Amino acid sequence: MTNKDQRYIRIAQACLRAINETSTDKDALQENIRKVYEAIDIAFKKEFLTIEQNAAIAESALKKICELSARESVSEAKTIATAALDALQQANQPAKHH
């Protein structure tokens, strides 16, 4: 089992324990369980999308730096790294809702 799967299961189990401790109606319990799994799926997809986007930005910058020739300066590498850090910061800003 992957770490992602293990995290998912631990979170789901904690949520389900909370539901089990508060629900008395069996039909309501099953619906609450379904809603918990759905909410966890959505949250995980959102979180991992952000992580994957950040990794792609960092990987792109590292590849560009790696491709610099010996004649190109450290300042060019710093420019690439700064641009990547700025992109990461922008990507991780909370979305503005209108």
Side-chain angles (χ1 to χ4, degrees), residues 3 7 18 22 33 36-37 42 44 48-49 54 58 62 64-65 67 71-72 76 87 89:
N3 286 336
R7 287 190 298 263
T22 59
I33 290 170
V36 165
Y37 275 105
I42 291 168
F44 260 81
F48 280 96
L49 178 62
N54 288 347
L62 289 171
K64 287 177 186 174
I65 291 169
E67 292 169 357
R71 293 174 303 180
E72 292 175 293
E76 182 63 25
Q89 185 175 6

Side-chain angles (χ1 to χ4, degrees), residues 6 11 26-27 29-30 32 43 50 52-53 56 61 64 74-75 77 82 84-85 90-94 98:
Q6 291 169 340
I11 291 169
K26 187 174 181 175
D27 291 333
L29 176 63
Q30 292 303 316
N32 288 342
T50 301
E52 289 168 2
Q53 289 171 338
K64 287 177 186 174
V74 172
S75 67
T82 300
L85 290 171
Q90 288 178 355
N92 292 315
Q93 299 249 332
H98 297 281

Side-chain angles (χ1 to χ4, degrees), residues 7 16 28 30 38-39 47 56-58 69 77 84 90 92:
R7 287 190 298 263
L16 294 173
Q30 292 303 316
E38 188 176 292
E47 288 301 314
I57 291 168
S69 69
Q90 288 178 355
N92 292 315

Side-chain angles (χ1 to χ4, degrees), residues 13-24 29-30 32-33:
Q13 287 172 337
C15 294
L16 294 173
R17 272 192 303 277
I19 289 172
N20 285 330
E21 291 171 2
T22 59
S23 294
T24 55
L29 176 63
Q30 292 303 316
N32 288 342
I33 290 170

